[in-house]
Amino acid sequence: MQSKKERYKNTLLNLAQSGKFIPGIYNYCDRWCERCAFTSRCMNYAMDEKEFDTPESKDIHNKVFWDKLHGIFQVTLEMVKEKAGELCIDLNAIDCDTFTKQEEKIHKIIEDQPYAKASFAYAEAVNKWFDSNKKLLESKGEELMSLAQAEIPGIRPDKDAVKIQDCLEIVRWYQHQIYVKLCRAASGMIRGELENNEYSPDDANGSAKVAIIGIERSIAAWGGLLNEFADKEKQILELLVSLKKLLKQVDAAFPDARAFVRPGFDTLGKRQ
């Protein structure tokens, strides 16, 4: 009988060798699987579906979830060690203190980037907007429900409700992800400069492109909310201005990001 580790490892290997998946497609996506057209071609999604296949395993407050995740991490680490051995890389020779200091230095440089500061400030501003407009959103929901119950000819409050919900979900989804993706984009570039390595900009450009997509979709979503909440024009316009300034900063810092071709999304005629 296979142990959990063996089962996890065999699952990973079988999925990787199946030929069904687009290599690396999960590296440059926005993690919004529910809205993705490529879940059937994504190994990460397949692994999640196979291993996290019960309500308990999908609940981050449940021990089953963490046991599953721990098992996957262990197997992944073992496979990394095996690969390092094949390449004659001694992982034990790494100076942990030096590595930690280097990581702290890189993290500080990333935080000081103008686009990192701007995207972090935007995420905080979004929180403030939602906190200060809870009653507004609740009253809007009640208003649309009343209109739906009234069944007034020619009025479709259900469409307005769907549009508002969609805009809110988009704003929330990308709120923090923009910052995270920009930090990842900065990371590779900074490592190359600090370590005097030949820097490959592909990962930075790919991550920056995902951030750009998130920014542009957020701009569109705030535009939709502006149409529905005209009395909050000043607040929403401030958020839109901050996003447009951020977009200019990202385009300047990563001028080749828009041209980056993401596996699957930009090669098969469908974009995420």
Side-chain angles (χ1 to χ4, degrees):
M1 185 175 179
Q2 286 185 330
S3 66
K4 284 185 178 180
K5 286 186 181 180
E6 290 173 333
R7 184 168 60 81
Y8 285 137
K9 186 175 181 178
N10 287 335
T11 297
L12 282 170
L13 291 174
N14 289 336
L15 288 173
Q17 295 168 1
S18 68
K20 297 190 302 182
F21 306 110
I22 299 171
I25 189 172
Y26 43 78
N27 287 327
Y28 306 109
C29 73
D30 62 10
R31 305 295 176 187
W32 207 341
C33 298
E34 293 82 1
R35 297 195 179 197
C36 181
F38 292 99
T39 51
S40 63
R41 306 291 304 279
C42 176
M43 183 173 161
N44 266 11
Y45 182 83
M47 188 68 188
D48 285 346
E49 288 294 291
K50 193 170 186 64
E51 294 299 330
F52 298 89
D53 55 353
T54 65
E56 294 79 13
S57 66
K58 294 179 180 180
D59 181 5
I60 63 171
H61 302 293
N62 194 296
K63 185 177 181 296
V64 175
F65 170 86
W66 294 106
D67 286 345
K68 290 262 188 181
L69 197 62
H70 177 69
I72 291 173
F73 283 166
Q74 278 191 316
V75 171
T76 304
L77 181 59
E78 287 180 5
M79 294 175 74
V80 169
K81 289 179 178 178
E82 287 176 7
K83 191 64 179 179
E86 292 173 8
L87 297 172
C88 299
I89 298 173
D90 184 5
L91 297 177
N92 294 320
I94 296 173
D95 187 332
C96 292
D97 289 338
T98 301
F99 177 79
T100 300
K101 288 178 182 178
Q102 181 80 329
E103 287 302 301
E104 289 174 350
K105 184 177 181 180
I106 291 171
H107 185 68
K108 180 64 171 63
I109 296 173
I110 290 172
E111 286 185 330
D112 287 339
Q113 299 304 308
Y115 51 80
K117 291 180 177 179
S119 57
F120 187 84
Y122 165 73
E124 293 291 295
V126 171
N127 277 338
K128 290 179 181 177
W129 189 87
F130 275 91
D131 289 342
S132 64
N133 289 290
K134 283 181 181 178
K135 290 184 178 179
L136 172 70
L137 296 174
E138 289 173 1
S139 62
K140 187 67 174 181
E142 292 170 358
E143 175 192 334
L144 292 174
M145 187 176 293
S146 296
L147 286 172
Q149 291 172 345
E151 297 182 349
I152 302 173
I155 295 181
R156 294 292 305 275
D158 56 326
K159 287 188 176 181
D160 290 336
V162 169
K163 178 183 176 182
I164 292 171
Q165 183 63 30
D166 184 57
C167 289
L168 293 174
E169 287 181 357
I170 290 171
V171 167
R172 281 301 205 185
W173 189 264
Y174 295 108
Q175 174 187 354
H176 297 288
Q177 188 182 104
I178 293 168
Y179 171 76
V180 172
K181 292 296 182 181
L182 288 177
C183 286
R184 173 173 166 174
S187 176
M189 181 169 59
I190 292 167
R191 287 176 198 281
E193 293 172 355
L194 286 179
E195 298 168 7
N196 296 318
N197 292 332
E198 183 177 345
Y199 169 60
S200 173
D202 283 353
D203 186 66
N205 285 329
S207 298
K209 183 169 185 175
V210 178
I212 288 171
I213 291 170
I215 294 169
E216 291 182 334
R217 289 182 177 175
S218 297
I219 289 172
W222 281 116
L225 292 172
L226 181 59
N227 291 332
E228 297 294 334
F229 302 104
D231 55 331
K232 295 297 177 181
E233 179 179 16
K234 185 176 182 297
Q235 291 181 359
I236 295 176
L237 284 177
E238 287 175 353
L239 289 162
L240 282 168
V241 168
S242 69
L243 280 173
K244 289 181 179 179
K245 286 182 178 178
L246 173 60
L247 189 58
K248 288 183 179 179
Q249 290 176 328
V250 177
D251 278 328
F254 304 95
D256 299 321
R258 290 182 183 272
F260 179 85
V261 178
R262 296 176 301 152
F265 302 116
D266 300 330
T267 58
L268 296 179
K270 297 178 182 178
R271 288 185 171 243
Q272 183 183 354

